[in-house]
């Protein structure tokens, strides 16, 4: 029996020039389910809820350790989702699972969408003409209900690549950019019958990917998703709903060796949509990562150039008890872009490989995400809502 481990893209192609200038036909993409993806689910560590500054410190600490985190600022009227900038940082809940021996192959790729079961949660990537998206929700059990729909509107989604490799090194000035993303949108609905005891949080690497082989080459397009969500609902029979859309102008990824980011504009303000009923301050925070990669390998260790977009959202709804004076609502929005050439491998998969191959040295390239937007707003603009 042979045990195979991941290799860097430049170990497979020591001298090459990966050029590509091609539209991605969304209708030709197929869904590939990865039922034994290691480390797909984790519960984020608790963040401070005392004041905003303490929550931000906890988020920064977790980010430095390489874990996408949720930071909740419930003491104030805002909830902020924070996503780290490190590649492949997913921690398992429960023991590491190895691929099952029976069958020895992944389920066949499908043209129809696949819903992934993630314990108390489920996630469904989807595509339609002019759009890509991810829906995730908390199963209708106990007292908590959550539904989030994140979508990207596209117009001729296009990949432009110019990656020269010489002597096993990527030359300076490499390009890998995704063009044609016109807007991002999110719709959020959450409710808790029993208040704070129903609250839940999750961070997950969705074990369903979209894939499309590139004809005449060993390469394939691969689209993958990650998400995190945390609820902070106070009071029995609490509800929070919100939705917004923002235009994006420009490519995401890497051009001539530098990260490029889009310009953001407001199409539909999320502030105008925040509503719900609560006897206490309530909110929900969520982060979504959309990643496009061209490369070779297996789903748990796929190597090649990539570009990613990470969007963080947070909304809060003030207590109905304050309605005679004013009802405070707040929202945060953060956007970041990443890009480069490397291996996408989860931290749990890496730990398992180190145990299987103790004599090998594994080095995973670290990455910093480049922010392009940070917005935070509380309405109405009165001292009561800012205290």
């Amino acid at each position: 029996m042979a045990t195979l481990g991941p290799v860097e893209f430049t170990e497979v192609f020591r001298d090459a020039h990966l050029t590509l200038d091609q539209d991605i036909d969304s209708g030709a993409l197929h869904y590939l389910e990865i039922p034994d993806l290691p480390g797909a689910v984790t519960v984020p560590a608790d963040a401070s809820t005392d004041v905003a500054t303490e929550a931000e410190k906890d988020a920064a600490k977790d980010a430095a350790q390489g874990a996408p985190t949720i930071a909740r600022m419930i003491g104030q009227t805002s909830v902020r989702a924070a996503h780290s900038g490190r590649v492949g940082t997913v921690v398992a809940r429960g023991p590491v699972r190895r691929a099952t021996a029976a069958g020895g192959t992944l389920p066949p790729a499908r043209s129809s969408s696949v819903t992934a079961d993630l314990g108390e949660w489920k996630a469904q990537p989807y595509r339609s003409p002019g759009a890509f998206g991810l829906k995730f929700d908390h199963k209708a059990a106990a007292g908590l209900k959550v539904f989030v729909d994140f979508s990207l509107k596209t117009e001729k989604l296009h990949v432009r690549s110019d990656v020269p490799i010489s002597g096993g090194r990527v030359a300076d000035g490499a390009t890998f950019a995704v063009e044609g993303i016109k807007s991002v949108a999110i719709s959020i609905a959450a409710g808790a019958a029993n208040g704070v005891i129903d609250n839940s949080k999750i961070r997950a690497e969705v074990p369903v990917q979209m894939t499309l082989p590139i004809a005449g080459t060993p390469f394939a397009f691969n689209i993958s998703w990650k998400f995190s969500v945390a609820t902070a609902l106070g009071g029995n029979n609490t509800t929070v709903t919100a939705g917004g859309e923002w235009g994006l102008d420009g490519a995401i990824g890497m051009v001539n060796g530098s990260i490029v980011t889009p310009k953001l504009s407001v199409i539909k303000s999320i502030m105008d949509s925040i509503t719900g009923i609560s006897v206490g301050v309530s909110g929900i925070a969520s982060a979504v990562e959309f990643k496009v990669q061209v490369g070779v390998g297996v789903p748990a260790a796929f190597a090649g150039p990539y570009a990613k977009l990470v969007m963080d959202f947070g909304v809060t709804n003030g207590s109905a008890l304050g309605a005679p004076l004013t009802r405070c609502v707040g929202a945060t929005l953060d956007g970041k872009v990443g890009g480069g050439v490397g291996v996408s491998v989860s931290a749990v998969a890496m730990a398992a490989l180190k145990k299987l191959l103790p004599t090998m040295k594994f080095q995973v390239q670290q990455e910093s995400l480049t922010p392009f937007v940070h917005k935070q707003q509380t309405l109405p603009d009165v001292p009561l809502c800012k205290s």
Side-chain angles (χ1 to χ4, degrees):
M1 181 182 71
T3 301
L4 304 179
V7 296
E8 290 287 346
F9 188 71
T10 51
E11 293 180 276
V12 180
F13 303 96
R14 297 193 59 80
D15 294 284
H17 195 175
L18 178 57
T19 59
L20 194 65
D21 196 1
Q22 183 174 331
D23 292 341
I24 298 179
D25 182 0
S26 62
L29 286 164
H30 281 68
Y31 299 90
L32 181 62
E33 186 179 7
I34 313 154
D36 291 298
L37 183 65
V41 180
T42 181
V43 177
D46 287 332
S48 171
T49 59
D50 295 335
V51 293
T53 53
E54 288 303 317
E56 289 171 345
K57 288 178 182 178
D58 288 345
K61 179 180 178 181
D62 286 342
Q65 295 173 346
T69 64
I70 290 288
R72 294 178 292 157
M73 295 179 279
I74 307 305
Q76 304 294 321
T77 57
S78 63
V79 175
R80 180 170 182 269
H83 197 292
S84 83
R86 188 172 290 187
V87 176
T89 50
V90 184
V91 182
R93 178 174 65 181
V96 174
R97 296 180 300 165
R98 296 182 62 182
T100 55
T105 59
L106 290 171
R110 299 167 50 178
S111 58
S112 58
S113 182
V114 178
T115 299
D117 192 323
L118 302 169
E120 296 178 347
W121 296 78
K122 58 183 179 179
Q124 180 187 29
Y126 65 89
R127 55 167 173 74
S128 60
F132 291 85
L134 176 68
K135 298 177 182 179
F136 48 97
D137 62 278
H138 190 271
K139 296 177 181 178
L144 179 67
K145 293 183 179 180
V146 179
F147 176 78
V148 180
D149 185 355
F150 173 84
S151 62
L152 301 164
K153 290 184 179 178
T154 62
E155 184 178 317
K156 292 184 178 179
L157 193 66
H158 188 89
V159 170
R160 179 161 53 94
S161 175
D162 184 2
V163 182
I165 300 171
S166 178
R169 295 180 61 87
V170 177
D172 294 337
T175 291
F176 186 84
V178 176
E179 302 165 335
I181 300 176
K182 298 302 182 183
S183 72
V184 297
I186 193 166
S187 176
I188 298 171
N194 306 302
V196 295
I197 64 173
D198 287 337
N199 284 324
S200 179
K201 51 189 173 180
I202 185 177
R203 181 172 57 246
E205 182 174 353
V206 180
V208 179
Q209 299 177 356
M210 300 178 188
T211 185
L212 176 64
I214 300 175
T217 77
F219 303 103
F221 288 114
N222 190 69
I223 295 177
S224 59
W225 301 85
K226 296 179 184 178
F227 75 90
S228 58
V229 62
T231 63
L233 306 175
N236 294 348
N237 300 314
T238 292
T239 61
V240 176
T241 63
E245 183 177 4
W246 301 265
L248 296 181
D249 182 12
I252 65 169
M254 174 178 60
V255 175
N256 297 326
S258 299
I259 297 297
V260 293
T261 62
K263 294 181 180 179
L264 182 137
S265 60
V266 178
I267 297 175
K268 176 188 174 184
S269 172
I270 198 169
M271 293 294 295
D272 298 335
S273 69
I274 301 172
T275 187
I277 300 174
S278 174
V279 296
V281 178
S282 295
I284 182 170
S286 183
V288 180
E289 176 187 297
F290 169 79
K291 181 176 181 179
V292 178
Q293 190 166 15
V294 171
V296 294
V298 296
F302 193 76
Y306 66 90
K308 65 168 65 173
L309 174 69
V310 179
M311 300 297 298
D312 297 354
F313 309 90
V315 297
T316 52
N317 189 31
S319 170
L321 297 179
L325 299 174
T326 187
R327 184 176 68 88
C328 306
V329 296
T332 61
L333 171 68
D334 287 271
K336 308 179 188 72
V337 168
V341 180
V343 177
S344 299
V345 55
S346 75
V348 173
M350 182 61 68
L353 286 166
K354 286 180 178 179
K355 290 182 179 180
L356 290 171
L357 305 170
T359 60
M360 291 187 65
K361 293 183 178 180
F362 294 96
Q363 293 183 340
V364 179
Q365 177 183 359
Q366 303 303 320
E367 168 203 63
S368 294
L369 297 177
T370 300
F372 66 92
V373 63
H374 169 67
K375 293 181 178 292
Q376 185 169 346
Q377 187 177 13
T378 301
L379 291 177
D381 188 10
V382 297
L384 179 63
C385 292
K386 294 182 176 181
S387 61

